[in-house]
């Protein structure tokens, strides 16, 4: 009686070869790379072969380290210094310049940065799409699926040329432009805050107005640079959030929310670090990092931060590559690198001071550690607003921050019970789901390989124009019909009226 | 390091008592009861206590049979004959009358049936909500969750009064009225066909127009009888479809698609039945049933069907309670009852002739058996259109059907390869998902009990009015601003023009 089941299993076996599938991974950087790595590791454990496209110049993807991935390097015509300069430029703009600029200046500067970004994107694509040797090699690779973050443009076109399914992994794009226009994700501006608008799902009239305009302006400004058609062919969108972090919103059958897939239980700390942590006693420790991109801050900021840390009863482990501040207290130790996840999972940890990257926040949620956020750029301000709205964090502004502010924020998240309660609630949502996010991500990548895509999850909205989608042609037709009926009614009335009056006049005339 | 995990597990233990949770199930009938039973069985296996509200008069819920459920009977002031009369009335209307009626007549008859339905619904509620003894008993029951099909009204109000979470299980409501207005499910009329409109997700202009009007008319007609506010508080909506059956569409985080949760591998057949099945040889068998509600059809129809069946090479097992037709062939056997799932899972089964109920279709998908549909009422015509659109079924119209039509349809689904290929593809979608639908349904019911609801999955749209939801107030404001600016511009222009001309005139006058 199990012939059908057997048949289906055989189908799976044939579509993905006995030695597992052949997975191609688009180049990526920074936190995206950190996030996708555990998925790739798991795929390798499950017998698949993983090939990663890497530019010869990369800040985060180190091909010289021994690795289980097969790296496929491609040439780019710029240097590491160029890339580092761009990041510094972006950081400086976000952290210091923006506050002193008018909206127009910000807009001009932003478009400038976008232009630079596009310039480098095209240089990357020269190394892949425009390189005949590379494309030939990729074609011969017989890949079953391409896995990519759509922020790094060009993967859609490559998958199209190779004729293979495409799986996206995405945190978000500005104003959900990719998600809305390419994947047809519905986003009513009345309760779905646009990404980067810094709004929550609870909005008053003026916030809803701003959200509406934010979507509309982004549609106008960015619409022409998007390759809707090609990107729209992605089979699965693995979104790097879940409802512990994001506000509930409508979504589509091919959207899978796998936020925090990199999270894992803590491992023991190095011996000297454990000793320092244990020396904190009942007061416990505070973990502090501003992320992998920000290496140092101004001496002034460094001193403000250090003197705030010196005034709390906890011991502090601070990941910092800059010069040692003068005001550094005896309770604070500076490290070039810290095992962040293992520290957050340590029972003595009371708070996490973070720049608000998605990966770090998810580790704090996983281990239920309340946060103090010092957000700087990208999705960080927005991420911290999510955590603040859910009552699990206090936000401190880097530019206007005084020693008192930081000290008060740390004391609040540690001593006021609600912060711990709220992060425990979020942690419970994270852990209490039918399937771990890592398993879910792996399942849908393998599904796409087995079934050569996921067509049955694709909404018909892809085949509609924007005015058809919103039924504007239907509305126009109905309006036309109503107007016609009104016109007919008026004409008929006036005709009857004329005949009636005409007759009366005739009668009158006769009477005369 | 596992203190957090432990804490969360302890939380679960405390919120649901050590002996499992206490589940209250709202009364239901027919296929809904058949569908929910496997969930309740599994919940009992997992240590929960299940109490089912049953009216003293019920067609399907037999409280006298030995059962693991605890039945809680409530009084209703009508007889079994009354109920059977209503069903017969409904069947007669749907199967025979409707074809000879004008739209206006259908509408009047439909509103009449709705009125009768509401009349009986209130009688049911007299036995629960209006009965002091029953409500007192339910309050003392200390239930953790109420599980209900919202089609049987009143569960929302009961959950509200008892102050317990609410989980809905639903196939659909006419034009998705419950889903759209109570749960805030988005349904763009351009690609989401309204339930009962008999449309698919691929629509041309006139179909989109009809779909738009179908939603709009239903909004106008049914809006006033819905208790939006109360029904909107449901924590989880377990939908009885999946993307093997339904067209992909936008949905919300608290919508879980658990279609086909009752499906299970086939068990061996009774000995004599197995013998008959084996006697079919390579030709195989056809399984035929018109569902549990339709006991017999007219003698004329019976003869048409029987003579069609007599002309096919397969052996036929026909579930039929009516009189034996004269034209019955030697290859056809009539049974009062058949083990439908076990027959569909039999390797000799070539086709399934069905009325198109959701449960039966799902068993056919599970066992990959192509279908011939003879739909009659309710969701059946629509269900069969889904299967026909996906290329896994042929539809035959009961009223206009000739012997040839049925014979050709059966031969087509058996002999044309595409039908088998398509049902195999749907079956693969059914089986190839991260978690079985039964497990998923059980998970979310238990989740709701553990967490006393599922607030984090609830969209903020619930707090908006309809014009806020569609940003109509924002649009009106923007329109007003634009009009004001135009008005200001015109006024300024005319003012300048006047001054200018005025001066000229003055100059002119001076010159004169």
């Amino acid at each position: 009686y199990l012939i059908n089941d057997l048949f289906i299993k055989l189908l799976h076996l044939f579509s993905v070869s006995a030695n597992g599938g052949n997975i191609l991974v688009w180049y990526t950087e920074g936190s995206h790379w950190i996030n996708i790595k555990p998925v790739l590791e798991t795929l390798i454990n499950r017998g698949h072969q993983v090939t990663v496209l890497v530019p010869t110049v990369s800040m985060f993807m180190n091909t010289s380290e021994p690795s289980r991935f097969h790296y496929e390097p491609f040439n780019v015509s710029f240097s590491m210094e160029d890339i580092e300069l761009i990041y510094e430029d972006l950081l400086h703009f976000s952290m210091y310049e923006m506050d002193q600029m008018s909206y127009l200046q910000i807009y001009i500067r932003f478009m400038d940065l976008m232009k630079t970004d596009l310039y480098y994107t095209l240089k990357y694509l020269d190394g892949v799409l425009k390189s005949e040797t590379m494309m030939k090699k990729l074609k011969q690779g017989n890949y079953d699926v391409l896995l990519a973050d759509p922020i790094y443009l060009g993967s859609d076109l490559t998958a199209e040329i190779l004729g293979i399914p495409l799986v996206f992994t995405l945190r978000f794009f500005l104003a959900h432009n990719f998600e809305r226009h390419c994947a047809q994700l519905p986003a009513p501006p009345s309760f779905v805050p646009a990404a980067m608008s810094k709004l929550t799902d609870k909005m008053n009239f003026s916030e809803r107005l701003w959200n509406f305009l934010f979507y509309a302006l982004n549609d106008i400004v960015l619409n022409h640079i998007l390759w809707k058609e090609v990107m729209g062919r992605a089979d699965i969108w693995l979104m790097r959030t879940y409802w512990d972090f994001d506000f509930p919103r409508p979504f589509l059958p091919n959207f899978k929310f796998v936020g925090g897939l990199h999270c894992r239980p803590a491992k023991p700390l190095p011996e000297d670090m454990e000793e320092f942590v244990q020396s904190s006693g009942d007061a416990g420790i505070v973990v502090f990092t501003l992320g992998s991109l920000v290496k140092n801050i101004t001496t002034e900021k460094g001193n403000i931060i250090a003197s705030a840390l010196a005034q709390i009863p906890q011991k502090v482990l601070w990941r910092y590559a800059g010069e040692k501040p003068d005001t550094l207290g005896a309770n604070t130790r500076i490290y070039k690198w810290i095992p962040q996840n293992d520290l957050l999972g340590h029972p003595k940890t009371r708070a996490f001071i973070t720049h608000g990257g998605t990966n770090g926040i998810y580790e704090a949620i996983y281990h239920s550690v309340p946060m103090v956020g010092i957000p700087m750029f990208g999705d960080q301000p927005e991420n911290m607003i999510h955590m603040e709205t859910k009552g699990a964090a206090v936000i401190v502004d880097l530019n206007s921050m005084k020693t008192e502010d930081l000290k008060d924020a740390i004391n609040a998240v540690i001593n006021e019970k609600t912060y711990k309660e709220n992060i425990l609630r979020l942690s419970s949502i994270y852990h209490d789901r039918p399937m771990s996010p890592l398993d879910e991500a792996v399942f849908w990548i393998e599904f796409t390989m087995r079934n050569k895509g996921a067509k049955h999850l694709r909404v018909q909205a892809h085949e509609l124009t924007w005015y058809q989608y919103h039924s504007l042609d239907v509305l126009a037709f109905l309006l036309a019909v109503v107007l016609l009926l009104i016109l007919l009614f008026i004409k008929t009335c006036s005709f009857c009226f004329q005949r009636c009056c005409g007759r009366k006049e005739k009668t009158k005339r006769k009477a005369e």
Side-chain angles (χ1 to χ4, degrees), chain A residues 123-137:
Chain A
K123 293 229 163 208
Y124 279 114
L125 295 188
D126 281 349
V128 186
L129 272 164
K130 273 205 165 175
S131 155
E132 268 180 44
T133 13
M134 183 51 78
M135 285 313 284
K136 204 176 155 192
K137 215 187 240 175

Side-chain angles (χ1 to χ4, degrees), chain A residues 34 65 73 100 105 242 258 274 289 321 326 345 364 369 381 390 456 475 486-487 505 512:
Chain A
I34 294 169
E65 271 177 22
Q100 289 136 29
Q105 282 176 313
Y242 185 59
V258 294
E274 177 68 31
T289 163
D326 298 331
V369 180
K390 288 169 195 285
H456 70 294
L475 279 169
I486 290 173
L487 202 73
E505 259 171 48
E512 278 168 3

Side-chain angles (χ1 to χ4, degrees), chain A residues 455-472:
Chain A
K455 299 274 174 298
H456 70 294
L457 300 179
R458 186 182 172 79
V459 285
Q460 198 58 24
H462 285 281
E463 317 306 324
L464 301 175
T465 64
W466 64 271
Y467 60 86
Q468 287 175 331
Y469 180 97
H470 294 288
S471 295
L472 295 182

Side-chain angles (χ1 to χ4, degrees), chain A residues 248-308:
Chain A
R249 54 163 299 154
F251 61 99
L252 297 171
N254 62 343
F255 273 65
K256 309 293 171 186
F257 293 82
V258 294
L261 56 80
H262 65 294
C263 296
R264 55 183 198 282
K267 282 180 295 203
L269 299 174
E271 217 168 292
D272 56 332
M273 199 177 266
E274 177 68 31
E275 215 168 277
F276 178 60
V277 168
Q278 287 302 341
S279 74
S280 68
D282 284 345
I285 62 160
V286 169
V287 182
F288 181 12
T289 163
L290 293 182
S292 45
L293 282 173
V294 178
K295 296 216 170 59
N296 46 45
I297 42 184
T298 60
T299 318
E300 188 208 345
K301 291 285 165 212
N303 277 319
I304 290 176
I305 290 172
S307 72

Side-chain angles (χ1 to χ4, degrees), chain A residues 163-431:
Chain A
I164 56 174
L166 178 61
V167 173
F168 277 156
T169 146
L170 176 67
R171 171 64 187 92
F172 66 64
F173 192 81
L174 179 61
H176 303 302
N177 264 311
F178 283 175
E179 301 96 304
R180 288 186 301 133
H181 295 300
C182 305
Q184 302 292 342
L185 185 73
S190 51
F191 69 99
V192 180
M196 302 292 274
S197 67
K198 301 190 189 172
L199 293 167
T200 74
D201 60 345
K202 285 192 191 84
M203 294 179 266
N204 59 29
F205 179 80
S206 61
E207 286 167 329
R208 286 193 291 114
L209 178 66
W210 168 233
N211 197 38
F212 186 94
L213 289 173
F214 196 93
Y215 276 123
L217 292 175
N218 271 290
D219 282 358
I220 295 164
V221 174
L222 291 175
N223 215 10
H224 59 282
I225 66 159
L226 293 179
W227 309 330
K228 283 185 213 183
E229 307 291 316
V230 195
M231 211 176 267
R233 78 185 279 284
D235 295 283
I236 299 282
W237 292 68
L238 300 172
M239 304 303 288
R240 296 204 290 269
T241 58
Y242 185 59
W243 312 118
D244 43 6
F245 178 97
D246 223 342
F247 302 118
R249 54 163 299 154
F251 61 99
L252 297 171
N254 62 343
F255 273 65
K256 309 293 171 186
F257 293 82
V258 294
L261 56 80
H262 65 294
C263 296
R264 55 183 198 282
K267 282 180 295 203
L269 299 174
E271 217 168 292
D272 56 332
M273 199 177 266
E274 177 68 31
E275 215 168 277
F276 178 60
V277 168
Q278 287 302 341
S279 74
S280 68
D282 284 345
I285 62 160
V286 169
V287 182
F288 181 12
T289 163
L290 293 182
S292 45
L293 282 173
V294 178
K295 296 216 170 59
N296 46 45
I297 42 184
T298 60
T299 318
E300 188 208 345
K301 291 285 165 212
N303 277 319
I304 290 176
I305 290 172
S307 72
L309 298 177
Q311 292 172 45
I312 60 170
Q314 285 76 25
K315 298 267 163 111
V316 183
L317 295 94
W318 183 5
R319 179 194 176 177
Y320 185 54
E323 216 172 298
K324 184 179 156 182
D326 298 331
T327 55
L328 200 74
N331 68 334
T332 309
R333 274 199 199 167
I334 286 176
Y335 296 85
K336 285 246 180 285
W337 179 87
I338 52 169
Q340 183 175 297
N341 185 60
D342 304 332
L343 278 169
L344 289 175
H346 197 286
K348 283 228 181 283
T349 304
R350 300 287 177 268
F352 179 36
I353 310 176
T354 172
H355 62 302
T358 314
N359 287 337
I361 290 181
Y362 257 111
E363 287 170 4
I365 290 176
Y366 184 94
H367 298 294
S368 356
V369 180
M371 287 162 267
V372 171
I374 310 178
M376 283 171 293
F377 69 100
D379 56 346
Q380 298 161 7
E382 181 128 319
N383 292 346
M384 285 317 306
I385 286 171
H386 280 232
M387 287 301 105
E388 190 191 41
T389 309
K390 288 169 195 285
V394 170
I395 300 177
V396 174
D397 179 60
L398 183 67
N399 287 317
S400 66
M401 167 174 79
K402 293 195 181 59
T403 300
E404 284 292 297
D405 300 330
L406 183 57
K407 195 192 75 182
D408 291 349
I410 302 170
N411 283 331
V413 300
I414 294 176
N415 300 324
E416 286 172 31
K417 258 169 71 181
T418 55
Y419 290 99
K420 184 70 183 177
E421 282 165 7
N422 286 324
I423 195 77
L424 273 168
R425 187 173 45 80
L426 298 186
S427 194
S428 163
I429 294 171
Y430 174 96
H431 290 278

